[in-house]
Amino acid sequence: MQPDTGTRAATAPRKPLRDVRGFWRVLLAVVAPLPMLGMGLHYVFSPVDGGESFEATVAAYAAHEQLAGLIRWFGLPFLVGLIPATFAVAWVARRGAPRLATAGALLALLGDLAGFPLTRGGDDLAYLTVTRGFDVATMAKIQSALEDDPVQLVAGLLFIVGIVIGLLLLGLALWRSGAAPAWMGIVLAAGGFTHPFMPGHVASGIGLLVAAVGFAGASVALLRMRDDEFDLPPARPAARA
């Protein structure tokens, strides 16, 4: 009698799925403080305050062209990493403070998703004006038009709410959850909330560096926890009848 190969194949043990929870846990821990660290350094070393006119920004960048080109790279971790960093804090705090973590994550992520693709900062236009030799008056009109654009106004408002209120709630959630040292949650809340109100680019940058220390609270919690605390293990979907 020939062996029933179909039955044998059906009952043969499956190869276990690879467990990558540790990879994602450590990756989030590494990413968490980098966005605010990068943007904090961007502000600290900027040759001009954020509220200056377009013409003043162009003049400052022209006088410090190499520095202006360098600090642009400090902003990349902010643009690329703020969403996963926000997710890292929410994921760590969600069990101990589910409502605060949910509210903070919703506001912060909404602000990020609206602000990053829809707003166009004057810093980039000023840098391109200097390096490409564009007409300052014309580029200033473009910047003014962008600032008056309703879509940009709404996106900018959502972004500010996400940074100020969203990070405030996430910091409080991290503090209340007990997943990280309480002071790290407090500095996250304070750094995000006070950043727009700090006088001058150095003080604003220091506020973001303080927030970066708070985000590192999520890193501490993620590195301390076991994979089973981080997420459920991998599992194959149940076979359909």
Side-chain angles (χ1 to χ4, degrees):
M1 178 180 296
Q2 296 293 328
D4 188 348
T5 55
T7 303
R8 181 179 299 176
T11 58
R14 291 184 176 183
K15 184 178 180 180
L17 296 174
R18 185 178 297 274
D19 191 345
V20 296
R21 289 177 295 170
F23 167 79
W24 287 109
R25 180 172 56 81
V26 174
L27 179 62
L28 287 175
V30 171
V31 168
L34 297 182
M36 289 300 180
L37 176 62
M39 188 54 72
L41 293 174
H42 180 283
Y43 271 92
V44 168
F45 292 111
S46 174
V48 64
D49 287 333
E52 294 289 348
S53 67
F54 183 81
E55 291 83 357
T57 303
V58 170
Y61 282 5
H64 304 86
E65 186 173 337
Q66 289 186 340
L67 176 61
L70 176 63
I71 63 174
R72 296 180 78 224
W73 292 99
F74 291 156
L76 281 180
F78 185 80
L79 295 173
V80 175
L82 187 57
I83 289 176
T86 301
F87 177 80
V89 177
W91 191 261
V92 164
R94 76 192 193 284
R95 289 196 180 108
R99 291 185 179 180
L100 275 175
T102 299
L106 286 175
L107 287 177
L109 292 173
L110 176 62
D112 296 345
L113 293 169
F116 287 159
L118 297 178
T119 58
R120 297 292 181 269
D123 290 348
D124 285 337
L125 286 180
Y127 180 75
L128 292 175
T129 300
V130 170
T131 57
R132 303 296 175 88
F134 295 152
D135 179 68
V136 177
T138 301
M139 296 300 288
K141 291 179 181 179
I142 294 174
Q143 172 61 19
S144 178
L146 288 173
E147 290 177 349
D148 294 335
D149 178 52
V151 172
Q152 285 225 124
L153 290 172
V154 172
L157 176 62
L158 290 174
F159 185 71
I160 292 298
V161 169
I163 294 293
V164 175
I165 305 300
L167 293 188
L168 170 66
L169 295 179
L170 279 177
L172 295 176
L174 189 63
W175 167 49
R176 290 285 300 274
S177 71
W183 66 269
M184 300 185 90
I186 294 172
V187 298
L188 172 55
F193 183 77
T194 60
H195 160 67
F197 312 108
M198 301 295 281
H201 64 92
V202 174
S204 295
I206 291 174
L208 291 181
L209 293 176
V210 169
V213 175
F215 271 94
S219 304
V220 171
L222 287 164
L223 294 175
R224 284 177 176 177
M225 69 175 54
R226 301 184 304 272
D227 287 343
D228 286 339
E229 296 174 291
F230 175 69
D231 197 9
L232 295 173
R236 297 183 187 278
R240 294 183 179 180

Coordinates of all heavy atoms in Angstrom, one line a residue, residues 19 21 25 91-95 179 220-233:
D19 N 10.9 34.9 15.7 CA 10.5 35.9 16.7 C 11.3 37.2 16.5 O 12.5 37.2 16.8 CB 10.6 35.3 18.1 CG 9.9 36.2 19.1 OD1 9.6 37.4 18.8 OD2 9.7 35.7 20.2
R21 N 10.4 40.2 17.9 CA 9.9 41.2 18.9 C 11.1 41.9 19.4 O 11.0 43.2 19.7 CB 9.1 40.5 20.0 CG 7.7 40.0 19.5 CD 7.1 39.3 20.7 NE 7.8 38.1 21.1 CZ 7.5 37.3 22.1 NH1 6.5 37.7 23.0 NH2 8.2 36.2 22.4
R25 N 11.6 46.0 19.5 CA 11.7 46.6 20.8 C 13.0 47.5 21.0 O 12.9 48.6 21.4 CB 11.7 45.5 21.9 CG 11.7 46.0 23.3 CD 11.5 44.9 24.3 NE 12.4 43.8 24.1 CZ 13.7 43.7 24.6 NH1 14.2 44.8 25.3 NH2 14.5 42.7 24.3
W91 N 3.3 53.2 23.3 CA 3.3 51.8 23.5 C 3.7 51.4 24.9 O 3.2 50.5 25.5 CB 4.2 51.1 22.5 CG 4.1 49.6 22.4 CD1 4.9 48.7 23.0 CD2 3.1 48.9 21.7 NE1 4.5 47.4 22.7 CE2 3.3 47.5 22.0 CE3 1.9 49.2 21.0 CZ2 2.5 46.5 21.4 CZ3 1.2 48.2 20.5 CH2 1.4 46.9 20.7
V92 N 4.7 52.1 25.4 CA 5.2 51.9 26.7 C 4.2 52.3 27.8 O 4.0 51.6 28.8 CB 6.5 52.7 26.9 CG1 6.9 52.8 28.4 CG2 7.7 52.0 26.2
A93 N 3.5 53.4 27.6 CA 2.6 53.9 28.6 C 1.2 53.4 28.6 O 0.4 53.7 29.5 CB 2.6 55.5 28.5
R94 N 0.9 52.7 27.5 CA -0.5 52.4 27.2 C -1.2 51.5 28.3 O -2.4 51.6 28.6 CB -0.7 51.7 25.9 CG -0.3 50.2 25.8 CD -0.1 49.7 24.4 NE 0.0 48.3 24.4 CZ 1.1 47.6 24.7 NH1 2.1 48.2 25.1 NH2 1.1 46.3 24.6
R95 N -0.4 50.6 29.0 CA -1.0 49.7 30.0 C -1.3 50.5 31.3 O -2.3 50.3 31.9 CB -0.1 48.5 30.2 CG -0.1 47.5 29.0 CD 0.4 46.2 29.5 NE 0.5 45.2 28.4 CZ 1.5 44.8 27.7 NH1 2.7 45.3 28.1 NH2 1.5 44.0 26.8
A179 N 6.1 53.1 34.0 CA 7.0 52.3 33.1 C 8.4 52.8 33.1 O 9.3 52.1 32.8 CB 6.4 52.2 31.7
V220 N 14.4 53.6 28.0 CA 14.7 52.9 29.3 C 13.7 51.7 29.5 O 14.0 50.6 29.8 CB 14.7 53.8 30.5 CG1 14.8 53.1 31.8 CG2 15.9 54.8 30.3
A221 N 12.4 52.1 29.4 CA 11.4 51.1 29.6 C 11.4 49.9 28.6 O 11.3 48.8 29.0 CB 10.0 51.7 29.6
L222 N 11.7 50.3 27.4 CA 11.7 49.2 26.3 C 12.9 48.3 26.5 O 12.8 47.1 26.3 CB 11.8 49.9 24.9 CG 10.5 50.5 24.4 CD1 10.8 51.4 23.3 CD2 9.5 49.5 24.0
L223 N 14.0 48.8 26.9 CA 15.2 48.0 27.1 C 15.1 47.1 28.4 O 15.7 46.1 28.5 CB 16.5 48.9 27.2 CG 16.8 49.6 25.9 CD1 18.0 50.5 26.1 CD2 17.1 48.6 24.8
R224 N 14.3 47.6 29.3 CA 14.1 46.8 30.6 C 13.1 45.7 30.4 O 13.3 44.6 31.0 CB 13.6 47.7 31.7 CG 14.6 48.7 32.3 CD 14.0 49.5 33.3 NE 14.9 50.4 34.1 CZ 14.6 51.3 35.0 NH1 13.3 51.5 35.3 NH2 15.5 52.0 35.6
M225 N 12.1 45.8 29.5 CA 11.1 44.9 29.5 C 11.5 43.6 28.7 O 12.4 43.7 27.8 CB 9.8 45.5 28.9 CG 9.9 45.8 27.4 SD 8.3 46.5 26.7 CE 7.9 47.8 27.8
R226 N 10.8 42.5 29.0 CA 11.0 41.3 28.2 C 10.1 41.3 26.9 O 9.2 42.1 26.8 CB 10.6 40.1 29.1 CG 11.4 39.9 30.3 CD 11.0 38.7 31.1 NE 9.6 38.6 31.3 CZ 9.0 39.1 32.4 NH1 9.7 39.7 33.3 NH2 7.7 39.0 32.6
D227 N 10.5 40.5 26.0 CA 9.7 40.4 24.7 C 8.3 40.1 25.0 O 7.4 40.6 24.3 CB 10.3 39.4 23.8 CG 11.6 39.9 23.2 OD1 11.9 41.1 23.2 OD2 12.4 39.0 22.7
D228 N 8.0 39.2 26.0 CA 6.6 38.9 26.3 C 5.8 40.0 26.8 O 4.6 40.1 26.7 CB 6.6 37.7 27.3 CG 7.0 36.4 26.6 OD1 6.9 36.3 25.4 OD2 7.4 35.5 27.3
E229 N 6.5 41.0 27.5 CA 5.8 42.2 28.0 C 5.6 43.2 26.8 O 4.7 44.0 26.8 CB 6.7 42.9 29.0 CG 6.9 42.1 30.3 CD 7.8 42.7 31.3 OE1 9.0 42.8 31.0 OE2 7.3 43.2 32.3
F230 N 6.5 43.1 25.8 CA 6.4 44.1 24.7 C 5.3 43.8 23.8 O 4.5 44.6 23.4 CB 7.7 44.1 24.0 CG 7.8 44.9 22.7 CD1 7.7 46.3 22.8 CD2 7.8 44.3 21.5 CE1 7.8 47.0 21.6 CE2 7.8 45.0 20.3 CZ 7.8 46.4 20.4
D231 N 5.1 42.5 23.5 CA 4.0 42.1 22.5 C 3.8 40.6 22.6 O 4.6 39.9 23.2 CB 4.5 42.5 21.1 CG 3.3 42.5 20.1 OD1 2.1 42.4 20.6 OD2 3.6 42.6 18.9
L232 N 2.7 40.1 22.0 CA 2.5 38.7 21.9 C 3.5 38.0 21.0 O 4.0 38.7 20.0 CB 1.1 38.5 21.4 CG -0.1 38.9 22.3 CD1 -1.4 38.8 21.5 CD2 -0.1 38.2 23.6
P233 N 3.8 36.8 21.2 CA 4.7 36.1 20.3 C 4.1 35.8 18.9 O 2.9 35.9 18.8 CB 5.0 34.7 21.0 CG 3.7 34.5 21.8 CD 3.3 35.9 22.3

